[in-house]
Amino acid sequence: MPTYSITSRTSGYHIGTYDADSREAALDAMSREAGYANHAEACEVTGDVDLDGSDLIVTEIVEI
C-alpha cells in the first residue's frame, strides 16, 4: 500500500504520513485522525468550499 505525506502549503507544517490506496484516501485518513468522518466533512466544517484540499501538499513517498 502506498504511503503519503501531507503538508500545509501555507505554513510548511508536516501534518502526517498515512498509508492509503490513493491521495484522496490519505486525505480521508488525515481527517478521521482529526475527528471528522472524512475529508469532505472536514472541508465543510473548516470552510474549504472547493473540497479539493488545495491548501495541502499530498506527496506519495516512493521507497527505492
Side-chain angles (χ1 to χ4, degrees):
M1 178 177 294
T3 301
Y4 293 87
S5 171
I6 302 178
T7 304
S8 168
R9 186 177 304 279
T10 305
S11 69
Y13 178 77
H14 178 254
I15 297 167
T17 304
Y18 302 91
D19 293 329
D21 292 326
S22 67
R23 175 187 189 277
E24 293 77 16
L27 289 168
D28 282 340
M30 175 200 68
S31 299
R32 282 192 303 275
E33 187 175 81
Y36 300 100
N38 54 39
H39 185 63
E41 180 185 45
C43 289
E44 182 180 323
V45 171
T46 61
D48 182 359
V49 294
D50 296 327
L51 300 178
D52 64 358
S54 61
D55 56 331
L56 301 171
I57 301 168
V58 182
T59 307
E60 184 175 356
I61 299 171
V62 179
E63 293 187 31
I64 299 175

